[in-house]
Amino acid sequence: MREFTIRIGRRRELRLPAVVWLTLVWVLLWDRPTVGNLVSGLVLAVLLQLAFPLPPVGPQLRLRPVGLIVFVLRAAADLLHSAGPLAWQAAGGRGRAKRNSVIAVPLRTRSDLILTIMAISLSATPGTLVLDVRHSDATLFLHVLGADDDAAVEKARRDVQALERRTVRAFGTRDDLRALAEDGS
């Protein structure tokens, strides 16, 4: 990755992939690509890299195309599946009122990247909210709507563990995959 960086002084580096990515995002935010948008995006990307230097992502990120496709498709299906019942409950739909639960789900992987992707995925899904992440033992604490009995709580835990498998298969390192394999997943 060293060949894709330019050193500026002692502590500053420009990471060219990040500059390209930020420039692309900037151009896409505008109505149409123009030379002005491209140049302003490039200048903004360089300034952001210099003003807010971030540590490199490094070997923690691996993109596995098949796993990524499965991850994205299942995330879309989860969004569609959970939005209907949540909207019904919010609109005061008939039936017995469901209780909610706060559950702890220990994960098998210890990667900060996997924890972050999972927390974002779970919080983006209607009906679940990540309340806390305990890094010491990689445990997620979630508020789950409609988990009103032991079976529903266990189903929510299994769903989170399935998300962990999909996340690791899409983005995980060999160590992450090994942690899943040791647990029999």
Side-chain angles (χ1 to χ4, degrees), residues 58-111:
Q60 300 164 342
L61 177 65
R62 295 284 189 256
L63 288 178
R64 294 180 169 73
V66 173
L68 183 61
I69 290 168
V70 170
F71 178 84
V72 169
L73 291 175
R74 182 58 195 260
D78 286 347
L79 284 171
L80 292 173
H81 181 262
S82 63
L86 182 63
W88 180 255
Q89 184 179 355
R94 298 184 190 260
R96 180 174 70 90
K98 294 191 175 202
R99 293 184 336 199
N100 307 314
S101 296
V102 174
I103 64 172
V105 183
L107 303 177
R108 293 156 292 196
T109 57
R110 302 278 190 249
S111 165

Side-chain angles (χ1 to χ4, degrees), residues 15 82 177:
R15 291 186 183 84
S82 63
L177 289 168

Side-chain angles (χ1 to χ4, degrees), residues 120-180:
I120 292 168
S121 298
L122 288 165
S123 293
T125 304
T128 60
L129 179 67
V130 176
L131 299 174
D132 194 16
V133 177
R134 189 167 55 205
H135 287 276
S136 61
D137 61 355
T139 299
L140 294 176
F141 294 90
L142 308 170
H143 179 268
V144 182
L145 292 177
D148 55 355
D149 59 13
D150 290 340
V153 168
E154 282 310 308
K155 181 186 178 315
R157 279 195 180 99
R158 284 192 310 273
D159 289 347
V160 172
Q161 290 170 341
L163 174 63
E164 179 186 22
R165 280 190 300 276
R166 289 190 304 274
T167 305
V168 167
R169 288 179 183 148
F171 306 103
T173 62
R174 287 188 180 116
D175 290 337
D176 296 330
L177 289 168
R178 206 171 300 120
L180 288 183

